[in-house]
Amino acid sequence: SSSKDSSSGSSSGANWWMRASLRGIQKRLSTAASGKGAMTSQQLGSEGRVVSSLAEIETKGKLVLFNNRICPFGHRAWWAMREKAVDDFDYIHIELGANKPAWYKEEVNPLGTVPCLIDDGDKIFESLICAEYLDEKFAGQGTPLMPEHPKDRAAVRFAITSFGDLTTALYRLLMGQDASKDPELIEAIRTNLAK
């Protein structure tokens, strides 16, 4: 395939998608900054509530997002909700690390990860799966998250896979408490960017 071909999931196709996505984000940010449009997709912390068990949450006939606003993978589901114009959902804040509530892993997500969706009692795990689920469930509203053509979707999936490793490396640096490990973490980021 040629370097202009975005059809095979090649790095050139993924780069095309990344450039197009960044242009879209820049346009939205400049529109919001100019006062011509409100950008309401930032998680401020006030959008979620904290509960002590699944019993406190109505799940029948409801869409519930279990998330943490500092988790980069949680942002995938959050942005998918915003892009699909999903406003009718319950946001449950889940602490991460040592403060993660035991009931969450026992009653909601055996992996213990965020994000997680419960839609009318059915559980959907993992950020990319949540985003795809939301894109399909709300296909007729908001912004389509994937291109229409299968070749373009392959390029997007390749880009997502590439960003996944980078996201993990960036998050480790952001959350790191041991400055002596920073050079190693920065090198991992550089390695991921060079791919």
Side-chain angles (χ1 to χ4, degrees):
S1 89
S2 73
S3 64
K4 294 182 182 179
D5 183 7
S6 66
S7 64
S8 64
S10 66
S11 62
S12 61
N15 287 337
W16 166 85
W17 177 82
M18 286 184 266
R19 286 190 306 274
S21 296
L22 290 173
R23 281 193 302 271
I25 291 168
Q26 288 169 340
K27 182 178 177 183
R28 285 180 182 199
L29 289 173
S30 65
T31 300
S34 70
K36 295 178 184 174
M39 188 168 174
T40 59
S41 297
Q42 182 180 7
Q43 295 184 65
L44 304 174
S46 59
E47 63 280 335
R49 63 188 181 101
V50 176
V51 299
S52 58
S53 76
L54 184 59
E56 295 178 42
I57 306 165
E58 176 61 46
T59 60
K60 186 163 179 59
K62 303 287 184 183
L63 182 62
V64 182
L65 172 65
F66 296 87
N67 207 359
N68 184 297
R69 69 181 179 275
I70 66 165
C71 176
F73 299 103
H75 281 251
R76 287 178 177 163
W78 173 257
W79 278 97
M81 299 281 263
R82 305 318 308 151
E83 289 297 317
K84 297 307 294 181
V86 178
D87 293 322
D88 188 19
F89 67 96
D90 191 3
Y91 185 117
I92 306 300
H93 176 78
I94 300 297
E95 287 293 328
L96 302 177
N99 295 324
K100 186 179 297 174
W103 66 265
Y104 178 68
K105 189 171 183 177
E106 294 164 3
E107 300 178 54
V108 178
N109 185 345
L111 302 172
T113 58
V114 294
C116 176
L117 292 170
I118 295 183
D119 187 9
D120 193 21
D122 295 317
K123 298 172 184 175
I124 297 99
F125 309 116
E126 295 300 313
S127 62
L128 291 176
I129 297 168
C130 289
E132 285 186 19
Y133 177 82
L134 292 165
D135 196 30
E136 292 172 10
K137 178 177 175 75
F138 299 100
Q141 75 184 54
T143 306
L145 301 182
M146 293 292 277
E148 187 175 320
H149 197 280
K151 291 179 181 180
D152 294 332
R153 286 196 304 268
V156 169
R157 288 184 178 112
F158 177 79
I160 290 169
T161 300
S162 299
F163 273 126
D165 292 340
L166 180 60
T167 301
T168 300
L170 288 166
Y171 186 68
R172 285 184 180 147
L173 180 63
L174 175 68
M175 299 306 291
Q177 300 296 313
D178 183 354
S180 69
K181 294 185 179 181
D182 285 358
E184 178 184 332
L185 296 170
I186 291 169
E187 186 55 36
I189 293 167
R190 287 188 178 130
T191 300
N192 277 287
L193 286 171
K195 287 183 182 178

